[in-house]
Amino acid sequence: MSLLLCVALLAPAGAWAHKASDAYLQLATTEQGLSLRIDIALRDLDAALDLDADGDGRLTWGEVRAAWPAIDAYVGARLQVQGCELALNGHALEKRADGVYAALSLQSPCQPSGTPMIRYTVMQDVDPTHRGLARITLGASRPELRVLDPMHPATWPSTVVPQPAPTPSAAAAPAPTSAPAPDQAVDTSFLREGVHHIITGYDHVLFLLCLLLPAVMRRTPQGWRPVDELRQAVWPVVGIVTAFTLAHSITLTLAALKLASIPSAIIEPAIAATIVLAAIDNLRPLFSRLPRAAVTFAFGLIHGFGFAGVLAEMELPTSTFAWALLQFNLGLELGQLAIVLATVSLLYLLRRRAAYPRWVIGGGSMAAITVGSLWFIERTADVSVLGF
Amino acid sequence: MKRALLLLCMALAAGAQGAPLLPTSDAEVVETLAAQAGDRAEERALRRRQQASPGDATVAVALARRYLEQAHREGDPRFAGRALAALQHWAQASNAPAEVLLTRATVMQYLHQFDPAAQLLEGLVQRQPALAQAWLTLATIRRVQGRYAESDLACAGLAKAGAALYAQACQAENDGLRGQFDSARARFNQMLTGRLDAGTRNWLLTSVAELEARAARPAQAEQAYRAALSAQSDDYTRLSFADFLMLQSRDAEALVLLNGQPRSDAVLLRLAMAGQRTAAPAARHDVRELRERIAQANQRPGAGASHAREQAMFALWIDSQPVRALELARANVKLQREAIDLLLLAQAAKASGQADAQQEAKLLSQAVGLKDARLENLL
C-alpha cells in the first residue's frame, strides 16, 4: 500500500504551552483626560513587523528599541478611540506568563461623555483569532471588560473626530462585542488555602521553628539555661508570634492591595536568608542589641510578601476581595497557632535534658542553616537540590 | 539585617504593575521567537510570496501547513491563527481548492473548533470522495466528539477512498471504544504484523494500549505503551501513558516519563499532579506556573472552554475542588467526549459526592456508547 496519510496532525491538541494571541488594553478616564495602555506580545509584533531584524529567532533589546517607531506607527494606525486624538506617552516591556509584551502608553485630553467606542484592527491581517481584551474604567465606576475583534472592528461616521467630544447619541452607541467580567463566588476555600499554605510552606515553618527553639531557655553568660516555669516561656513566644503575625499581615495586605510588590525572584531567596540569619542568631547572637521580637517583625515583613505571592496566583474577585484576604490570613494564623502550640509544648517537656542546648538548639540551628542556605542557592541559581 | 531592610525598601518602591522587564543592554535577548532559527528566512520569504499573491493556493497551503506544524511543535496556538490568516483569501468561498479546505479544517480541529471543521470536511468529501486524508480527519473529529456512528461512516468512506489499512484501524478503534475488545484487538494485532513505518506503528500500538486500559488489562496496556514509544516517541503517547500510570498511583514513574519533555499545558499539568503527590522538588514551581497560565488564558471570556479538560483536572487533583472540577468537566464534555473526558466527568462527579452527577456521567457514557472498565468500576 503506497498511500501514506498524515497521522501526526490527528492527535487532539491538548498540547498547548501558550494561550491564543491576546493583547491587553487598559482604558481609564479621569478629570485630566483619557489614558490608554496597550500590551502586545512581542511574538505577535514580530509577525507583523519582523522585529527580529537579523532573523536568528532571538529578539534582543536592541532590535526592539530600533523597532519602537515602527511599532508606534503600526499601533497608531490600528487603534482609535472615538472622539479622542491619542498621543504616545512612553514604552515599556512587560513579562507575562506566556512571554514578553511591548507596552505602549497613550493619552488624550478628551473627555468622553460615556464609554467610548474603540476601533481595533491590530493583527487583523496576521491572525484572525487575535483579540484585544479591554478593561475600561470610567472615572470611579466599576471596570468593564470588552473583547475587541479585529476582524469586526467598530466604525463610526468619521474615524478622526475633532474635539470637542462627539454627540451623546454616538457616544452611547453599543459596544461591538462585550462580555461581563467573569464572576467567581468565594466560599471558605481561602481559609483552607491559608492553613494549607502555612502547613506545607516548609520555609515559613522552619523560620518559626528557629525562633521557637530557644524559647524555653534563657541566655545567660554561662550559656543557655532552661526556664523554671511555663510562664517564662510563654511571654517570649507570644511576643515572637505576635510580631511575626503583625509583620506578615502588613506586607500581605499591602501586596494584596497592590500597594507594594517584590518579584518572587528576590523574595524567595530573602525568605531563605531569614532562616539562616535566625538560626545563626541562636548559635551566636547577631542582633543582641535588638529585642528578638523586633528582629522577628522585620523578617516577618519579608515572609508576608511570600504569602502574597500565593494569594496573587488565586485571582481574587474584586467584589469579595477583603473577605477572601481576611480568610486567607486567618487560615495562616490558625495553622501557625497549631504549629506553635505543638512545638512549644514538646520543647518545654524536653528543656531540662542536658543535651538540649547542644542538640536541640545547636543541632536544630545547624540543620536550619544548612537547609536555609541550600534553599538560598536553589532560589538564586534556579537549581534543585532539596526535595521540598 | 541591613539587607532585609534594603529589600523591603525596594518592595515599597516597586510599582503595582505585574512584572516590568528592564533590559540592561542592547544585546540582551528579551524573547525567543522560534525553536529553529534557520527557518526564519525561509518562512519570511514564503510569507512575502503569499502576501504578494494571496490567491495562490499552493503558496497559501504551504505557508499554512508550515504554521500548523509549528503550532504543534511549539504548542503555540497563535501559529494556528497565522495559518488561518494565510488561507483568509478563501474565508467565505465554499468552492475553494480542496487542499485549502482540508488545511483549514485541520487547523480548526487543532483549535478545538470541531463542529465547523467537521462540516467543512463533510462538504469536501461529498465533492471529492477520493480524498482519503479528509475522511480520516473527519473520522477522528467525530470520534473525539463521541459521535461514533458518524465516525463509522467516515471510516467506510476512507475504505472506499482506497486507504485500506487506515480504514481498518479507523473501524477497529471505534469498535474498541464500544467494548468489542477482543475483535478490535485481533484486528490491530493483524495489522501490526505487516511492514509499517514508525509513525503508523506508534499510532496503532497506542490505540492498542488505550484499548487494553479500557478493557482492564493493565499489564497488556503497559506493554503496548512501551512498544509504541520504542517505535516512535511522541507527546500524545507519553501523555496517555502518564495518565495510565497515575491512575495506578505510579506517580514517580509518570514523572520520569515526562521529565524533560517540552512544557506544554498538558505536560506541565501531569508534572504538577504527579509531583505534588510524590512531593517532588519542582512541584511547587510547576503548580505555580500552571496556575499563572490558566489565570492568563481565562482573561479572554469564553476561552476556558478549549482548556476545560486541563482546568478540570487541575481543579480536581491539584486544588481539590471537586465541585469546580465537575462544572469544568461538564463544560468539557460539551466540546469533546474521548474516554479520558468521560472518565474525568465521572471522577469529578464521584469526588463531589453528588449522586445525580454520577448518574449523569453514567448516562452520558451510555449515550455515547463507550465501554470503559475504569469508568464502570468508579460508578
Side-chain angles (χ1 to χ4, degrees):
Chain A
M1 196 197 69
S2 62
L3 179 65
L4 191 64
L5 299 185
C6 178
V7 292
L9 296 179
L10 288 179
W16 294 344
H18 296 265
K19 53 173 203 54
S21 159
D22 289 324
Y24 303 93
L25 293 88
Q26 293 166 25
L27 188 151
T29 60
T30 62
E31 283 171 8
Q32 284 78 46
L34 176 143
S35 68
L36 176 59
R37 177 178 150 153
I38 176 166
D39 292 20
I40 308 175
L42 290 178
R43 290 164 181 276
D44 287 338
L45 286 171
D46 176 70
L49 299 170
D50 288 346
L51 300 189
D52 180 22
D54 61 6
D56 67 349
R58 290 143 47 93
L59 197 52
T60 62
W61 172 229
E63 286 170 331
V64 175
R65 275 196 331 136
W68 279 133
I71 295 172
D72 298 341
Y74 179 80
V75 174
R78 288 165 181 78
L79 176 61
Q80 288 96 33
V81 176
Q82 190 183 19
C84 300
E85 290 255 33
L86 297 168
L88 185 77
N89 205 14
H91 300 115
L93 292 181
E94 181 90 356
K95 193 166 174 54
R96 294 175 183 264
D98 73 329
V100 175
Y101 284 62
L104 275 67
S105 299
L106 306 154
Q107 63 181 33
S108 167
C110 66
Q111 294 285 352
S113 54
T115 304
M117 290 214 284
I118 303 171
R119 183 178 160 77
Y120 182 84
T121 54
V122 171
M123 301 295 289
Q124 187 188 46
D125 39 7
V126 179
D127 179 355
T129 65
H130 173 84
R131 296 290 180 272
L133 307 182
R135 187 173 289 276
I136 300 169
T137 316
L138 297 176
S141 59
R142 277 188 63 150
E144 172 198 343
L145 187 70
R146 199 185 287 180
V147 182
L148 307 169
D149 179 351
M151 303 307 282
H152 302 97
T155 52
W156 53 84
S158 167
T159 310
V160 183
V161 182
Q163 301 292 340
T167 60
S169 63
T177 45
S178 80
D183 209 18
Q184 281 176 291
V186 176
D187 40 45
T188 55
S189 58
F190 290 102
L191 186 75
R192 270 182 292 138
E193 285 290 343
V195 176
H196 178 79
H197 186 66
I198 186 119
I199 304 256
T200 60
Y202 305 112
D203 42 4
H204 308 301
V205 173
L206 187 59
F207 177 68
L208 263 179
L209 284 180
C210 279
L211 296 173
L212 294 175
L213 287 181
V216 293
M217 310 290 276
R218 57 205 159 82
R219 230 175 200 146
T220 68
Q222 294 77 41
W224 293 103
R225 289 284 173 269
V227 296
D228 299 323
E229 349 173 14
L230 189 58
R231 199 162 43 86
Q232 290 165 299
V234 164
W235 287 114
V237 169
V238 169
I240 286 169
V241 171
T242 309
F244 186 59
T245 305
L246 264 181
H248 71 231
S249 301
I250 289 172
T251 42
L252 171 60
T253 309
L254 281 178
L257 293 175
K258 300 209 189 318
L259 294 174
S261 78
I262 309 189
S264 63
I266 295 179
I267 242 7
E268 294 289 325
I271 288 176
T274 63
I275 296 168
V276 176
L277 290 175
I280 293 176
D281 184 55
N282 287 344
L283 302 179
R284 213 168 277 248
L286 286 180
F287 314 107
S288 49
R289 274 173 300 159
L290 289 167
R292 206 163 166 86
V295 179
T296 309
F297 184 85
F299 287 176
L301 292 173
I302 297 174
H303 283 252
F305 281 111
F307 297 136
V310 181
L311 198 62
E313 290 158 13
M314 293 183 204
E315 280 260 317
L316 295 189
T318 39
S319 52
T320 48
F321 181 84
W323 172 229
L325 176 60
L326 183 69
Q327 275 191 34
F328 183 74
N329 205 355
L330 270 177
L332 287 178
E333 309 318 342
L334 282 175
Q336 180 182 309
L337 199 62
I339 294 168
V340 170
L341 283 177
T343 313
V344 173
S345 316
L346 181 69
L347 295 181
Y348 186 74
L349 293 176
L350 292 176
R351 74 189 190 289
R352 289 197 194 279
R353 303 275 170 107
Y356 192 98
R358 187 184 171 90
W359 289 107
V360 179
I361 297 187
S365 300
M366 280 311 294
I369 290 169
T370 311
V371 174
S373 306
L374 287 174
W375 268 334
F376 187 85
I377 294 166
E378 271 187 9
R379 292 170 184 191
T380 45
D382 204 15
V383 294
S384 194
V385 186
L386 293 174
F388 43 89
Chain B
M1 192 66 213
K2 261 190 192 157
R3 196 189 153 127
L5 290 176
L6 184 71
L7 286 170
L8 188 70
C9 295
M10 284 170 61
L12 296 171
Q17 294 286 353
L21 183 72
L22 302 167
T24 48
S25 79
D26 276 357
E28 185 173 331
V29 175
V30 292
E31 181 70 292
T32 307
L33 296 166
Q36 286 148 321
D39 297 347
R40 303 268 304 159
E42 210 178 302
E43 179 215 315
R44 284 178 181 176
L46 199 54
R47 197 193 328 147
R48 292 212 182 88
R49 272 175 67 195
Q50 191 266 328
Q51 281 162 349
S53 51
D56 184 333
T58 316
V59 173
V61 167
L63 184 60
R65 294 197 73 84
R66 187 187 183 93
Y67 279 137
L68 181 61
E69 276 158 27
Q70 193 170 3
H72 270 283
R73 196 172 58 235
E74 295 178 27
D76 191 344
R78 58 174 28 98
F79 291 108
R82 286 181 204 166
L84 289 180
L87 305 172
Q88 197 65 22
H89 180 78
W90 298 273
Q92 312 300 331
S94 55
N95 60 348
E99 276 304 305
V100 169
L101 291 177
L102 179 59
T103 308
R104 187 205 304 290
T106 315
V107 176
M108 289 162 98
Q109 182 210 6
Y110 174 86
L111 290 171
H112 287 186
Q113 299 171 3
F114 297 129
D115 265 327
Q119 281 158 15
L120 213 55
L121 290 168
E122 276 162 354
L124 180 58
V125 292
Q126 242 173 18
R127 230 170 71 190
Q128 288 199 20
L131 209 54
Q133 182 76 54
W135 285 114
L136 180 61
T137 308
L138 178 60
T140 306
I141 293 176
R142 290 307 192 197
R143 182 182 306 124
V144 169
Q145 290 183 305
R147 291 160 72 161
Y148 297 161
E150 284 160 87
S151 184
D152 289 344
L153 288 178
C155 296
L158 189 55
K160 283 200 194 120
L165 176 107
Y166 294 95
Q168 269 194 55
C170 183
Q171 192 57 55
E173 177 75 40
N174 288 352
D175 293 347
L177 287 164
R178 291 192 178 93
Q180 298 164 26
F181 298 128
D182 294 335
S183 66
R185 179 187 303 119
R187 281 165 82 176
F188 277 124
N189 286 337
Q190 170 66 31
M191 281 177 255
L192 281 163
T193 57
R195 281 167 61 94
L196 301 166
D197 67 286
T200 308
R201 178 168 287 278
N202 160 293
W203 179 53
L204 295 176
L205 282 165
T206 303
S207 299
V208 173
E210 292 182 331
L211 178 147
E212 299 290 21
R214 291 192 303 272
R217 304 204 327 160
Q220 288 82 353
E222 182 169 349
Q223 198 185 354
Y225 273 124
R226 293 198 188 280
L229 283 174
S230 67
Q232 190 183 64
S233 174
D234 71 309
D235 300 343
Y236 178 83
T237 307
R238 262 176 207 279
L239 284 169
S240 180
F241 190 19
D243 285 342
F244 167 83
L245 291 171
M246 285 195 288
L247 259 182
Q248 302 190 15
S249 305
R250 293 161 65 184
D251 300 294
E253 288 169 76
L255 272 186
V256 171
L257 189 67
L258 292 179
N259 263 330
Q261 294 299 304
R263 294 165 70 82
S264 68
D265 287 358
V267 168
L268 188 57
L269 172 73
R270 272 78 175 181
L271 286 176
M273 280 166 58
Q276 200 176 51
R277 289 184 202 163
T278 53
R284 226 165 116 182
H285 178 264
D286 290 343
V287 168
R288 177 177 295 207
E289 183 179 343
L290 193 54
R291 202 186 289 282
E292 274 173 15
R293 285 191 196 178
I294 290 175
Q296 203 195 356
N298 284 349
Q299 285 189 34
R300 182 192 284 202
S306 48
H307 301 264
R309 180 195 285 172
E310 281 74 28
Q311 295 196 14
M313 290 168 80
F314 189 86
L316 183 59
W317 303 118
I318 294 187
D319 280 345
S320 307
Q321 294 180 334
V323 177
R324 169 134 184 84
L326 180 60
E327 187 186 313
L328 287 160
R330 278 184 177 135
N332 180 46
V333 293
K334 283 191 186 136
L335 186 69
Q336 47 186 352
R337 296 175 172 178
E338 291 191 80
I340 181 181
D341 301 302
L342 295 169
L343 182 61
L344 179 60
L345 180 68
Q347 287 165 330
K350 175 112 180 185
S352 75
Q354 296 177 18
D356 54 337
Q358 295 184 47
Q359 184 63 17
E360 171 195 330
K362 199 176 208 169
L363 287 177
L364 182 62
S365 298
Q366 282 168 4
V368 165
L370 175 74
K371 277 268 189 303
D372 188 336
R374 300 167 300 181
L375 220 144
E376 278 150 28
N377 288 338
L378 201 66
L379 293 174

